Amino acid sequence: MAVVGVTDAQQGVASPELALHAHLLEHQSTPVLLLDAQLHVQWANHAAEQLLATSLPQLRQQPLAAFFARADWDGEHLRQALATQQPYTQRQVQLRSPGSTLSATVDYTVTPVPPLPAAPGAPSLLLIELQPLDRRIHIHREDNLFTTNQATRALVRGLAHEIKNPLGGIRGAAQLLERALASAELREYTRVIISEADRLRDLADRMLDVRKPPRLRSVNIHQVLERVRMILQAEVGSAIAWVCDYDPSLPEVWADADQLIQVVLNIARNAAQSLLEMPPAPDGQPPRITVRSRVLRQFTIGTQRHPLLCLVEVQDNGPGIDEALRETLFYPMVIGRRSQGTGLGLPIAQSIMQQHGGFIECDSRPGRTVFKILVPFGPPPDHRNPGAATHART
């Protein structure tokens, strides 16, 4: 935007002093704003335009307050910084773009800019440096979830083994006892013991199932999604409206089709059960599940940056997930529904996706819960799935 020899009018900058500041700051990768004494935007570099999703002509002369969430606006401190010529930093505030749903979490540093010696009568300006945090917060949360999931998988496997070891003895002893009992009434109790032992064994098998490496091959993601839709529509009938929003241009993903069906089915079934449990909506909106497929570009999972990823979204218009459960949603034995469940569906789904080099994340508020399933189009990195190279070659 700012280059040597361009006039103030071409720059769209109000004064030679501003033009000099603009020339120095235009190519900074950090979003930068310059404010006047009324805390109105006088100039913004290209990075700030991108962050605020607003071009410089629309930004200029806008009050900075228009870009802050009301609870985070701190005009008094900005005026004080201008009066005392003292810089300060504010942590984790919400920026928003007027007329848009776009928002961003940022730290910002305020630095007073005194007049140049050549223009001693010019008013002071405020330079605002914005440090976007959303991507950093997302990566930190993803790393924590991945580490925690690895630890809980090891814990669950050990627990499952410890459960299965005595179950065989309990079941065998109950069978021997049943043969020795003459009373049919007493044999009913031994059958309960055998039945409960079998139920615990099945639960332990499910806890151990995540160890099975995926059999990776090229898979049409829409065949997977349609299979899940057919299964769930057979279960719930017309009680829930289904919306399919697919991108037909997507290439095939690199996955185990059966395991991918299990992942999507776990998530979609949770959504369906949540919708069936909620009371009728006051606005008359019917229960609805929307399934989307899209391309996600230049996204990092762990340490691997993917030029392209397959993004599958499973969205429902249910009551949302309790805020207290959101941070532990993928931990074993966490149950968020009133109905009975094992609390293993989402942890197993997350483990399967991590074996694929993918990931699951969730965004929830009342009336809108979205689970995002990220699936690589190509083979996952060997360090995230040691069996991937073997399966890819066979």
Side-chain angles (χ1 to χ4, degrees):
M1 193 179 289
V3 292
V4 176
V6 179
T7 67
D8 293 349
Q10 289 171 311
Q11 293 281 354
V13 178
S15 69
E17 184 181 11
L18 278 177
L20 178 59
H21 292 313
H23 176 66
L24 295 175
L25 298 172
E26 173 57 37
H27 299 293
Q28 289 286 329
S29 59
T30 301
V32 174
L33 301 169
L34 282 172
L35 310 182
D36 62 14
Q38 288 72 45
L39 306 184
H40 289 187
V41 177
Q42 294 299 306
W43 180 84
N45 67 355
H46 184 60
E49 291 179 280
Q50 288 185 316
L51 178 65
L52 297 173
T54 310
S55 64
L56 182 56
Q58 280 73 46
L59 280 172
R60 190 175 295 111
Q61 300 303 334
Q62 284 264 19
L64 186 63
F67 297 94
F68 279 81
R70 181 174 298 180
D72 290 331
W73 171 241
D74 192 8
E76 186 58 37
H77 274 86
L78 288 167
R79 294 185 186 92
Q80 187 176 350
L82 194 60
T84 62
Q85 295 291 293
Q86 294 296 318
Y88 78 96
T89 299
Q90 192 74 21
R91 303 292 184 188
Q92 294 197 12
V93 298
Q94 289 293 317
L95 286 180
R96 59 185 177 85
S97 180
S100 170
T101 58
L102 293 175
S103 65
T105 304
V106 301
D107 290 346
Y108 69 85
T109 299
V110 177
T111 305
V113 181
L116 291 174
S124 295
L125 302 171
L126 281 181
L127 184 145
I128 313 289
E129 298 175 77
L130 305 168
Q131 294 289 340
L133 300 178
D134 290 298
R135 185 60 187 146
R136 191 185 310 168
I137 292 171
H138 175 87
I139 291 173
H140 179 68
R141 185 184 300 121
E142 179 188 299
D143 287 344
N144 282 345
L145 184 56
F146 181 78
T147 302
T148 303
N149 189 264
Q150 293 290 90
T152 53
R153 280 173 62 187
L155 176 63
V156 166
R157 288 174 184 173
L159 180 61
H161 277 297
E162 292 304 316
I163 290 173
K164 288 190 73 173
N165 287 338
L167 279 180
I170 293 172
R171 194 180 194 281
Q175 287 175 319
L176 292 174
L177 182 60
E178 183 177 20
R179 294 172 190 168
L181 293 173
S183 168
E185 184 178 350
L186 293 177
R187 286 199 299 272
E188 184 66 28
Y189 293 115
T190 60
R191 280 194 287 272
V192 170
I193 295 173
I194 293 170
S195 174
E196 289 302 294
D198 288 342
R199 188 174 67 83
L200 283 174
R201 182 196 60 204
D202 292 341
L203 177 61
D205 287 339
R206 287 190 63 198
M207 295 165 73
L208 290 168
D209 188 56
V210 295
R211 291 171 45 185
K212 184 173 65 176
R215 303 182 62 181
L216 300 172
R217 58 185 177 84
S218 294
V219 174
N220 186 319
I221 189 65
H222 299 127
Q223 290 180 355
V224 170
L225 300 181
E226 283 299 293
R227 175 72 176 274
V228 170
R229 181 185 64 81
M230 292 174 63
I231 292 172
L232 286 181
Q233 281 195 320
E235 293 179 5
V236 303
S238 59
I240 296 176
W242 296 84
V243 179
C244 300
D245 181 7
Y246 299 159
D247 180 352
S249 67
L250 292 184
E252 293 186 334
V253 298
W254 188 251
D256 182 314
D258 291 338
Q259 290 192 4
L260 204 53
I261 289 171
Q262 181 184 353
V263 168
V264 182
L265 186 59
N266 279 344
I267 292 171
R269 183 174 279 143
N270 283 348
Q273 290 172 345
S274 176
L275 290 171
L276 293 175
E277 290 172 358
M278 75 175 186
D283 57 3
Q285 288 290 325
R288 183 178 64 255
I289 293 177
T290 302
V291 181
R292 300 186 190 87
S293 64
R294 294 289 188 271
V295 168
L296 190 62
R297 301 179 186 278
Q298 299 300 330
F299 195 87
T300 301
I301 298 177
T303 59
Q304 178 73 17
R305 186 164 185 83
H306 297 267
L308 296 176
L309 275 174
C310 176
L311 169 64
V312 173
E313 293 185 340
V314 180
Q315 176 180 330
D316 69 73
N317 62 339
I321 298 169
D322 193 312
E323 187 173 355
L325 293 176
R326 291 175 197 167
E327 294 300 319
T328 59
L329 196 58
F330 294 98
Y331 292 2
M333 309 304 176
V334 174
I335 302 172
R337 304 190 313 270
R338 292 190 295 272
S339 60
Q340 296 297 317
T342 63
L344 292 174
L346 289 178
I348 288 175
Q350 185 72 276
S351 296
I352 289 173
M353 291 316 304
Q354 287 179 353
Q355 285 184 301
H356 282 70
F359 199 70
I360 305 173
E361 57 186 6
C362 176
D363 178 35
S364 181
R365 62 176 183 265
R368 185 181 184 274
T369 297
V370 183
F371 278 86
K372 299 179 180 181
I373 306 167
L374 308 177
V375 191
F377 286 119
D382 291 347
H383 72 280
R384 296 290 288 273
N385 178 13
T390 301
H391 290 293
R393 289 192 295 266
T394 58

